[in-house]
Amino acid sequence: MKVLILGGTGSIGTAVTRELVRSGHQVTGLSRSASSDRRLGAMGARPLRGDLRRPEGWVQEVASTDALIQLAATFGDGMAAADTTAITAILHHAARRPEPLRLLYTGGCWLYGATGDRIANEASPLRPIKPFAWMQENGQRVLASPALSAAMVHPAMVYHASGGVFSRYLEAARSARPFEIWGSITTRWPLVHRSDLARAYRLLLEQPQLTGHFNASAETGVPVADITAEIARRHAHDASYVVRSLKYVLTKHGAWAEGPALDQQMESGKLRRLAGWQVKHSNFRTAHF
């Protein structure tokens, strides 16, 4: 398939780009710089210079591609406007196609809000934290469009060899500082390894009959206490930690930081059952990071 990826050099996008190229797909990645051009080229993808906020420079690709994956995301104030601008342009151009465009739109576990002892599935109500409410709205537009064959992917907290969501804890362990815990040491995170997540995107891409919401979580809910304990064990850290209140975290890091403080559980039965998703990293303790 000819696939256009928005955000193909990001943390998740890099793994998705490699997974698709390795599987024989022709990947074009939106790029904003020469360094991104080089990274995409090294992965076997074709760079397309453009800016998410100015779709007039790249959205014409929608006419000649088989599928589009939206993975571009930042934690900046302008992300909502940039995503809305891009999605609006994509919908406009997709409506001109003779057949629906396959589109994978990225949501996330934070759109379910705090679940506590409930385990979120695709039938659970979305209660996004305020900074990402726009993501739910744009996802609804995508799923409702007759010009698209669309799926909205909700990744769990993503980790990988370089750290990912574990990065703050790894940095603390390597420098012998106490772990900084946001909210509570008992907070649970659904987890997925980046390579397993990339496989989920590929499987959904290749099965355009699968539409709607799909959760991607290899582990339903792992307590932060278990994560820090494993990192402490690997780095001869004394496992000391300091708990920061939500008010402190939001003041210091911004409203997005409510996400890692959410106590969440999320399962992926639908993705496993309908798309045939299988994970290689079913327990974070056995993975390299």
Side-chain angles (χ1 to χ4, degrees):
M1 297 172 69
K2 292 182 179 179
V3 186
L4 173 62
I5 298 184
L6 311 181
T9 59
S11 179
I12 298 174
T14 297
V16 173
T17 298
R18 288 175 175 150
E19 173 73 18
L20 296 185
V21 170
R22 188 163 49 239
S23 299
H25 297 292
Q26 301 174 47
V27 179
T28 296
L30 192 65
S31 169
R32 292 182 60 187
S33 66
S35 61
S36 291
D37 288 350
R38 289 191 292 270
R39 289 199 296 273
L40 287 164
M43 291 186 288
R46 176 177 74 94
L48 173 65
R49 191 63 67 88
D51 190 316
L52 194 70
R53 299 166 297 182
R54 299 178 179 84
E56 62 276 6
W58 53 265
V59 75
Q60 65 278 359
E61 289 280 322
V62 168
S64 58
T65 195
D66 298 312
L68 186 149
I69 302 177
Q70 164 54 326
L71 285 161
T74 69
F75 295 115
D77 294 336
M79 187 57 215
D83 188 80
T84 300
T85 297
I87 291 301
T88 299
I90 291 166
L91 291 174
H92 177 73
H93 281 258
R96 303 176 179 178
R97 291 168 52 96
E99 72 286 328
L101 172 71
R102 180 56 168 168
L103 190 144
L104 302 184
Y105 184 76
T106 304
C109 59
W110 296 349
L111 296 191
Y112 287 110
T115 68
D117 292 332
R118 288 186 304 107
I119 300 176
N121 60 30
E122 290 81 0
S124 301
L126 294 179
R127 300 188 180 97
I129 60 175
K130 189 175 180 180
F132 295 96
W134 57 267
M135 192 176 281
Q136 178 185 5
E137 296 168 2
N138 284 347
Q140 289 172 338
R141 294 175 64 201
V142 164
L143 293 176
S145 173
L148 305 175
S149 165
M152 187 170 181
V153 186
H154 299 289
M157 305 287 267
V158 184
Y159 69 97
H160 49 80
S162 301
V165 73
F166 297 161
S167 292
R168 287 191 303 109
Y169 300 145
L170 289 169
E171 291 168 7
R174 290 164 183 156
S175 59
R177 291 182 287 106
F179 298 122
E180 183 176 273
I181 307 300
W182 295 359
S184 171
I185 194 72
T186 62
T187 290
R188 288 164 290 192
W189 286 354
L191 294 177
V192 65
H193 192 280
R194 180 170 64 177
S195 63
D196 288 322
L197 178 59
R199 197 174 309 108
Y201 274 92
R202 177 180 60 79
L203 288 168
L204 287 171
L205 180 82
E206 294 172 346
Q207 301 178 75
Q209 76 278 11
L210 298 180
T211 59
H213 296 270
F214 288 87
N215 296 342
S217 176
E219 295 183 80
T220 301
V222 179
V224 168
D226 291 358
I227 296 169
T228 53
E230 176 63 18
I231 292 173
R233 184 188 66 80
R234 295 189 186 197
H235 293 272
H237 187 272
D238 63 6
S240 61
Y241 62 89
V242 57
V243 177
R244 301 297 190 189
S245 69
L246 183 59
K247 181 179 180 181
Y248 172 93
V249 170
L250 297 181
T251 300
K252 183 175 180 179
H253 299 283
W256 71 268
E258 181 182 354
L262 295 172
D263 181 31
Q264 289 193 310
Q265 297 186 85
M266 185 177 79
E267 58 95 358
S268 300
K270 182 180 178 182
L271 184 63
R272 297 172 192 268
R273 185 176 67 257
L274 298 184
W277 187 53
Q278 297 179 339
V279 300
K280 293 182 179 179
H281 303 89
S282 58
N283 189 321
F284 80 97
R285 294 177 181 84
T286 63
H288 174 66
F289 57 87

